[in-house]
Amino acid sequence: MMDIRSLSIEQYDAFLKQTQMAYNFMQSTEFVRYTSKQDHVKIFGGFQNDELLIATYVILRPALRLFKYGTSPREWIVKTPNLFCDESFIQEFAQGVAKQLKKEHAIVWMVESNTEYQQHDQNGNAVEGSFCNEDYRQMLKRCGFGLSPLWIGYDEARQSRWVSWIDLQKNLPQFSQGFALPLQNGLEEYSWEDLLKEMAGNTRRSFQKTDLPYIVTIRKNGNDDVNLDEFEALLECSAEKHNFGSGAKDHRLNILKSFGDHGYLSTAYLDVEEYDRFLQQKEIEFSTQEAEALAVCEKMPNSKKKRNRLLEIQEQKTHNEKEIVALQQLKQEDSRKMIPLASGIYLETPSEMVYLFGGSDPRLARYMGPYANQKEMIRLALDHKLQRYNFWGISGHFKPEEDGYGVFFFKKNLGATVGEYCGEFYWIINSPIAKFFLKRVRPDLNQA
């Protein structure tokens, strides 16, 4: 017999630490605290023999003036992995939570899954012979949940069902089968060099360019004195280019601060003076090489190899001179000595690093600012021995003419594969009113 109890945020935090299970950033104590500042949040735990075995939190918001509806952004956390697919255990917990929500005048409880539906490759294709968790969805249906369709595309009413990520542990999908794993699972970790080998050649070269001395990355955390003005300006640049809304600034600052030492702001800069010195030094080197090559060609006028080498040097020198002119133009347009190229906000859990928000200046794309930030944060995730580096939401469309392809393509080029969650489930608490409400907020549901 399961006993459903309300938990304090301290009890919830203690449970997360005790279980040593992987969890999504939206299941974290930091995110619950952040959400509690703006919404009514209830945390529930399922006890058997006075032992806490499963927990979730529910955000309660107004519905149809007189009622409320509940949402759980990423399902529940269990003490051991075998409990995820224990049908009677999950059913008893869900029934118990629904009874508690009825006391709160909730008419429906909507749960968005943290369980993967199936494994995908870099191009978005399902991996043949790998897992598919349709059985898990059907189990939840037998438990009493309704199933939302497996939607493709962006849905502002829901969290991301499609994401991009890089596995930081070898054979992670095969071992996890789409479910959260213990933090200590015995899987071998990738190194940065391992990950580079898996990336396309142009991606490796882009990351290598960020090693140049004039590209500087500065990382701060949520406990620092953080100013988001540069970040917001870069986010607006990306929003204009890709035609998306940038949302509320306060939301981003508050969530960053809520995560404290586990929230990061990483910004890549062009060090203008260092770049100027770099170009001038290159000009000297190319001029010396050109003079030497000319002298050789005069001595060996019939050598095609020597003439080609001279042309190669002259092309490099011409390119460098164009960069010098472009830098002088940039100095006239922007007097800052450190010019922001790209910036991102990242959140860390014990199992993954999440790239939640980001922006860059498209005029300065050749300096590879986004790659500098991603390298900084991927290496930090590797240092912290996390399971995944999560680039977060994509549309689930994988053809160039489809909505959201550009975001997918950028993340793919960074070495990411596609992740697909099991979608949304809903538990009817007050049947007639809930069905009327769901027709308004979830028109894609079949309420027959």
Side-chain angles (χ1 to χ4, degrees):
M1 184 72 180
M2 186 178 293
D3 181 21
I4 306 299
R5 305 176 194 171
S6 292
L7 303 179
S8 68
I9 199 162
E10 291 76 19
Q11 289 173 312
Y12 181 74
D13 185 54
F15 179 64
L16 296 191
K17 292 174 180 174
Q18 178 196 15
T19 63
Q20 288 292 291
M21 289 285 289
Y23 54 83
N24 188 276
F25 80 94
M26 285 187 287
Q27 296 172 304
S28 68
T29 304
E30 293 89 344
F31 193 81
V32 175
R33 282 201 178 100
Y34 162 74
T35 305
S36 298
K37 292 177 181 178
Q38 52 203 356
D39 288 300
H40 181 202
V41 173
K42 297 285 292 185
I43 309 173
F44 298 104
F47 290 78
Q48 287 183 344
N49 299 320
D50 210 34
E51 181 183 11
L52 179 56
L53 297 177
I54 183 171
T56 193
Y57 74 96
V58 182
I59 305 168
L60 290 159
R61 295 190 175 109
L64 305 174
R65 296 188 180 182
L66 299 177
F67 304 97
K68 296 176 184 176
Y69 72 99
T71 61
S72 294
R74 284 296 172 203
E75 229 163 33
W76 34 75
I77 295 172
V78 295
K79 187 173 182 180
T80 54
N82 62 296
L83 295 176
F84 278 117
C85 294
D86 187 326
E87 187 169 333
S88 60
F89 176 82
I90 295 297
Q91 184 176 46
E92 193 173 4
F93 177 66
Q95 288 173 340
V97 171
K99 287 180 182 178
Q100 296 295 321
L101 293 177
K102 188 173 183 178
K103 297 176 184 178
E104 301 288 333
H105 306 291
I107 57 175
V108 65
W109 175 30
M110 295 184 285
V111 178
E112 293 192 60
S113 185
N114 191 47
T115 301
E116 297 169 51
Y117 183 67
Q118 58 186 342
Q119 185 186 359
H120 293 264
D121 62 18
Q122 284 188 321
N123 296 315
N125 300 314
V127 176
E128 188 174 348
S130 186
F131 65 85
C132 177
N133 281 320
E134 179 60 30
D135 286 347
Y136 177 71
R137 282 169 49 86
Q138 295 303 318
M139 183 199 79
L140 292 181
K141 185 176 181 179
R142 291 192 299 272
C143 287
F145 284 98
L147 306 183
S148 291
L150 294 171
W151 70 90
I152 297 175
Y154 296 118
D155 187 337
E156 294 183 3
R158 296 173 167 122
Q159 299 297 332
S160 298
R161 196 176 84 81
W162 295 87
V163 296
S164 288
W165 50 38
I166 297 175
D167 292 336
L168 304 181
Q169 294 181 329
K170 297 179 180 180
N171 301 314
L172 183 62
Q174 294 88 338
F175 193 72
S176 73
Q177 294 294 295
F179 292 92
L181 287 176
L183 299 178
Q184 305 300 324
N185 55 40
L187 294 179
E188 185 181 353
E189 296 159 359
Y190 283 108
S191 66
W192 173 245
E193 289 70 27
D194 291 333
L195 295 180
L196 282 178
K197 291 176 185 176
E198 298 294 323
M199 297 176 187
N202 63 330
T203 304
R204 289 197 297 271
R205 288 189 291 273
S206 295
F207 275 121
Q208 289 165 355
K209 288 179 182 178
T210 66
D211 291 328
L212 293 167
Y214 52 83
I215 304 299
V216 179
T217 306
I218 297 176
R219 186 181 76 233
K220 296 183 177 181
N221 67 49
N223 285 333
D224 293 330
D225 184 16
V226 177
N227 185 313
L228 291 188
D229 288 348
E230 291 178 344
F231 168 84
E232 293 294 337
L234 291 166
L235 179 64
E236 194 60 36
C237 285
S238 291
E240 289 179 5
K241 179 180 179 181
H242 298 292
N243 193 30
F244 64 83
S246 57
K249 176 180 178 180
D250 289 346
H251 160 62
R252 290 183 282 274
L253 181 61
N254 290 339
I255 197 170
L256 176 62
K257 289 193 168 295
S258 293
F259 272 73
D261 287 341
H262 299 123
Y264 304 95
L265 173 69
S266 180
T267 305
Y269 295 89
L270 174 67
D271 184 330
V272 175
E273 292 183 353
E274 183 63 37
Y275 188 41
D276 200 348
R277 285 192 291 270
F278 177 86
L279 292 176
Q280 295 302 331
Q281 181 60 38
K282 284 294 182 182
E283 184 65 17
I284 293 170
E285 292 175 8
F286 288 138
S287 295
T288 301
Q289 292 173 10
E290 183 184 33
E292 292 172 351
L294 279 168
V296 170
C297 286
E298 288 177 0
K299 292 179 181 179
M300 305 173 64
N302 296 323
S303 173
K304 184 177 180 180
K305 181 178 178 181
K306 300 301 181 183
R307 288 200 308 273
N308 287 340
R309 174 56 183 156
L310 173 61
L311 290 174
E312 180 184 337
I313 293 169
Q314 289 174 333
E315 286 177 1
Q316 292 174 331
K317 186 171 182 291
T318 299
H319 174 75
N320 193 69
E321 289 166 350
K322 288 180 179 178
E323 286 296 308
I324 291 173
V325 173
L327 180 60
Q328 298 310 311
Q329 180 64 35
L330 181 60
K331 285 182 178 180
Q332 294 177 9
E333 297 171 358
D334 194 327
S335 61
R336 290 175 292 183
K337 293 184 178 180
M338 298 283 284
I339 298 178
L341 303 173
S343 188
I345 290 175
Y346 306 77
L347 306 178
E348 182 181 3
T349 75
S351 56
E352 68 177 10
M353 183 76 73
V354 180
Y355 172 46
L356 195 59
F357 306 109
S360 61
D361 189 338
R363 299 174 306 131
L364 306 175
R366 66 184 182 278
Y367 299 118
M368 304 297 166
Y371 287 87
N373 281 326
Q374 300 301 340
K375 183 179 74 172
E376 170 79 10
M377 299 309 297
I378 292 171
R379 298 191 74 157
L380 181 66
L382 289 168
D383 289 344
H384 290 186
K385 301 186 183 305
L386 304 183
Q387 293 178 4
R388 268 189 174 135
Y389 186 86
N390 195 334
F391 290 99
W392 205 230
I394 56 175
S395 67
H397 291 301
F398 309 117
K399 296 180 180 178
E401 67 275 11
E402 293 179 324
D403 182 41
Y405 177 81
V407 174
F408 155 71
F409 186 75
F410 167 72
K411 296 175 180 180
K412 172 189 170 182
N413 268 0
L414 289 166
T417 57
V418 170
E420 179 188 8
Y421 291 115
C422 277
E424 185 183 57
F425 315 105
Y426 57 94
W427 188 287
I428 300 293
I429 299 171
N430 186 326
S431 182
I433 300 173
K435 289 183 177 181
F436 175 74
F437 174 74
L438 286 172
K439 283 181 180 179
R440 295 180 60 178
V441 300
R442 297 290 188 268
D444 58 345
L445 294 182
N446 180 7
Q447 294 292 328

